[in-house]
Amino acid sequence: MLLKKENHFSKDEVKAFVFSSIIFFILHQIYRVKTFHYDAELYWKLAGYEFITNFPNEIRGYFYPLLLAPAKWMSDILGSKNFVYRFFSATAFGFLLGVFLPNLYTRIFGGKLTVPRRLLVPVLVAVIFPGAILYPLSDLPAFLLLLGAIWGLEKARSDQGGSGYFYILMAGVFLGGAYNSRTIYIFSLIFLLFVFFVFIFSKKYTASGRRRLIASGMILLGLLIVSLPQMLINKRHHDSYTPAIFASDKIFAYQLRWGVAVQKYSTTTDEDVPGELGAGLFYLDRAGQKMLSASDVGKTRGGLSIREYADLVAKNPLDFLAIYARHIVAGLDVRDGELYIKNHAKRRDMISVFNFFVLFLGTWAFIAKANEDSPVSGVRRERAILLFAILLPVFAIIPGAIETRFFLPFHLLVYCSVAFKLDWRLVRSELITSPWRIASLFLFAALFYFSTVLTLEASLEYYFDRST
């Protein structure tokens, strides 16, 4: 269990860490990535000593490059970027996905922990989402930082003494780090802060008023610790002490506009890709483009304000429901899990089909075992709150231009559900007692999913005017 009092790891955890690290190191050896591209290249560059100590005027925050800095500095000293990054990546994610994530998931949502079950999550990531491990991108680290904040709050509940305050402090640091690494996590930050303060000042928290104030101060101090460097960076470049990531509002405005016109976006390193933007694979939304061009805001260039977007939604509610449904399927359909596609013409239908089976099994297992793992209504309510907090960044990105990596939190929760909740005896029992119900549910989901995927694949273009 995550909250056990022992200060050492169990044998199963050590085995899971070792084997998960080996799985990821083998993954690196299979792909043998020698060159980082685009965002990955920028993050790696920003982790250099000259940038960490004098962070440039970038739209990205400093926190994720700071996490990368030890690997970057060691690679510069040893002159071996590939091996050093592969080692750090394999061991860090080996621990986080083989030990930390299984412990936290089963602590919150229930399930069974064994070494083979622990290893299933790293295996599924390696097969379906290898790019999250192969490249220094912020999506997976930001998600794990959010989980780190939840871990800190959960630990603090079991120890309301001095160490409990430390865990609350760390929760604030992790929350701030998640937002600084990927700004979409601002939604989870605000929501968890709200839940935290409601709990701290409720009757369920039996501590004295002094302890309530100290706990409140600790989480705010954690946020301040992460915010101070960003405030100094912003003061130097923008003459403002704000902890916000500059240009994030502008990006969000463009995301809202692109989300109407584009179903999905993928990145390729294939030099044979035509078009002015060689890196882009754009799956356009013809219906959305037509609706946008017919509106008043469609006649102007630039992003959409929240008010303009809300007016557009209010005038076309059914059209936007269809757009959001297409975005959800686009985010769930992983066939570009390498993230930087080397051969855009290569069909990845088998990965897409396998991914659908994993999604179906994981979602079904989570729902089927929900009541069994949380029979008490209060526990179910707490789990629903944490599940909502974890998935808020995914919900928030649905209106925007979708990349499958934006749905990584949902995919990882599904992998955990398959690994820790799936009971083959229950599957066999359901197939025997309710075969038609299971078959009809599977066929309905598959028909809707793959019909949308086929339409999505048919909409591929190699150019999209992102200034409109």
Side-chain angles (χ1 to χ4, degrees):
M1 296 294 289
L2 185 68
L3 304 184
K4 61 186 179 182
K5 295 295 183 180
E6 294 88 342
N7 294 318
H8 60 272
F9 295 107
S10 68
K11 291 182 180 179
D12 280 1
E13 289 171 332
V14 172
K15 290 177 183 177
F17 165 63
V18 171
F19 287 122
S20 296
S21 300
I22 291 173
I23 288 169
F24 289 143
F25 198 78
I26 292 173
L27 178 72
H28 279 290
Q29 293 304 110
I30 291 173
Y31 281 87
R32 301 191 68 81
V33 173
K34 296 182 179 180
T35 304
F36 298 146
H37 307 281
Y38 308 112
D39 283 2
E41 179 185 27
L42 179 59
Y43 281 124
W44 186 251
K45 181 186 75 172
L46 292 177
Y49 178 80
E50 67 276 17
F51 293 108
I52 288 293
T53 55
N54 185 27
F55 206 77
N57 181 18
E58 294 285 348
I59 63 172
R60 289 163 174 79
Y62 77 92
F63 197 83
Y64 177 55
L66 183 64
L67 296 180
L68 279 176
K72 179 67 166 68
W73 298 352
M74 186 173 291
S75 73
D76 290 341
I77 294 172
L78 299 178
S80 177
K81 176 187 76 174
N82 296 323
F83 175 79
V84 172
Y85 174 73
R86 290 169 187 172
F87 175 80
F88 271 83
S89 168
T91 53
F93 289 125
F95 171 77
L96 291 169
L97 298 183
V99 179
F100 169 72
L101 179 58
N103 288 0
L104 182 63
Y105 181 90
T106 52
R107 163 64 186 167
I108 297 174
F109 301 111
K112 298 177 181 178
L113 277 178
T114 63
V115 172
R117 285 178 179 269
R118 286 177 179 274
L119 295 179
L120 189 54
V121 174
V123 167
L124 289 173
V125 171
V127 172
I128 302 176
F129 254 116
I133 308 298
L134 298 173
Y135 297 100
L137 291 167
S138 62
D139 304 271
L140 181 55
F143 171 67
L144 291 170
L145 284 166
L146 174 63
L147 295 187
I150 293 174
W151 166 82
L153 296 177
E154 286 289 307
K155 289 281 284 185
R157 289 181 62 182
S158 68
D159 186 350
Q160 297 183 9
S163 60
Y165 296 139
F166 171 76
Y167 290 126
I168 294 175
L169 174 70
M170 292 308 299
V173 170
F174 290 142
L175 267 181
Y179 161 68
N180 194 270
S181 299
R182 280 197 64 80
T183 55
I184 198 68
Y185 281 81
I186 186 65
F187 295 100
S188 294
L189 186 155
I190 293 172
F191 179 74
L192 280 178
L193 277 182
F194 173 78
V195 171
F196 174 79
F197 284 118
V198 167
F199 174 76
I200 284 294
F201 292 101
S202 70
K203 293 180 179 179
K204 291 182 178 180
Y205 192 68
T206 57
S208 64
R210 178 175 172 271
R211 286 182 176 272
R212 294 172 194 263
L213 290 177
I214 294 175
S216 301
M218 285 295 101
I219 197 167
L220 294 177
L221 178 60
L223 288 170
L224 181 62
I225 289 172
V226 175
S227 299
L228 276 174
Q230 189 65 51
M231 292 165 68
L232 295 175
I233 293 168
N234 290 340
K235 176 60 178 176
R236 178 156 55 88
H237 291 300
H238 306 286
D239 195 28
S240 172
Y241 279 114
T242 175
I245 309 299
F246 269 85
S248 59
D249 291 341
K250 184 178 180 181
I251 289 177
F252 187 70
Y254 274 106
Q255 276 278 344
L256 290 178
R257 191 182 192 99
W258 301 336
V260 180
V262 178
Q263 298 182 63
K264 181 179 179 179
Y265 168 78
S266 294
T267 305
T268 179
T269 58
D270 191 343
E271 295 180 356
D272 294 331
V273 171
E276 297 179 32
L277 297 177
L281 300 177
F282 302 93
Y283 299 86
L284 302 183
D285 194 317
R286 305 298 183 189
Q289 287 182 317
K290 184 177 180 180
M291 179 183 61
L292 188 61
S293 62
S295 66
D296 292 336
V297 293
K299 298 179 175 63
T300 61
R301 301 176 72 85
L304 294 178
S305 68
I306 294 179
R307 181 177 179 178
E308 289 173 330
Y309 186 83
D311 289 341
L312 199 60
V313 173
K315 294 176 182 177
N316 308 275
L318 295 180
D319 294 299
F320 272 92
L321 283 177
I323 286 174
Y324 296 158
R326 290 193 288 270
H327 283 196
I328 291 171
V329 174
L332 294 178
D333 180 48
V334 182
R335 59 180 65 228
D336 54 354
E338 193 177 341
L339 302 185
Y340 295 111
I341 302 170
K342 295 178 181 177
N343 183 357
H344 82 285
K346 183 180 179 181
R347 300 292 299 180
R348 294 173 176 83
D349 294 334
M350 290 305 297
I351 290 293
S352 177
V353 172
F354 176 68
N355 172 67
F356 171 77
F357 274 97
V358 172
L359 289 173
F360 183 85
L361 277 175
T363 304
W364 178 81
F366 186 87
I367 295 172
K369 301 281 285 187
N371 289 331
E372 178 181 330
D373 290 334
S374 54
V376 182
S377 60
V379 174
R380 289 199 298 269
R381 182 167 59 252
E382 290 179 7
R383 290 178 175 180
I385 289 172
L386 291 178
L387 181 64
F388 182 71
I390 292 170
L391 292 179
L392 251 179
V394 177
F395 298 147
I397 203 63
I398 288 173
I402 299 298
E403 293 186 55
T404 49
R405 61 192 176 102
F406 297 161
F407 276 56
L408 187 58
F410 182 84
H411 286 280
L412 283 170
L413 289 181
V414 168
Y415 301 165
C416 287
S417 181
V418 171
F420 311 122
K421 283 182 171 287
L422 193 62
D423 186 340
W424 292 111
R425 291 175 298 179
L426 178 62
V427 173
R428 186 171 63 250
S429 174
E430 286 287 325
L431 290 175
I432 293 173
T433 59
S434 308
W436 292 110
R437 183 171 67 88
I438 297 297
S440 59
L441 181 63
F442 178 83
L443 287 174
F444 175 79
L447 285 173
F448 173 75
Y449 182 89
F450 287 111
S451 62
T452 306
V453 166
L454 290 173
T455 303
L456 175 73
E457 288 295 299
S459 67
L460 174 62
E461 296 286 347
Y462 302 104
Y463 177 74
F464 171 65
D465 185 357
R466 289 191 269 189
S467 67
T468 59

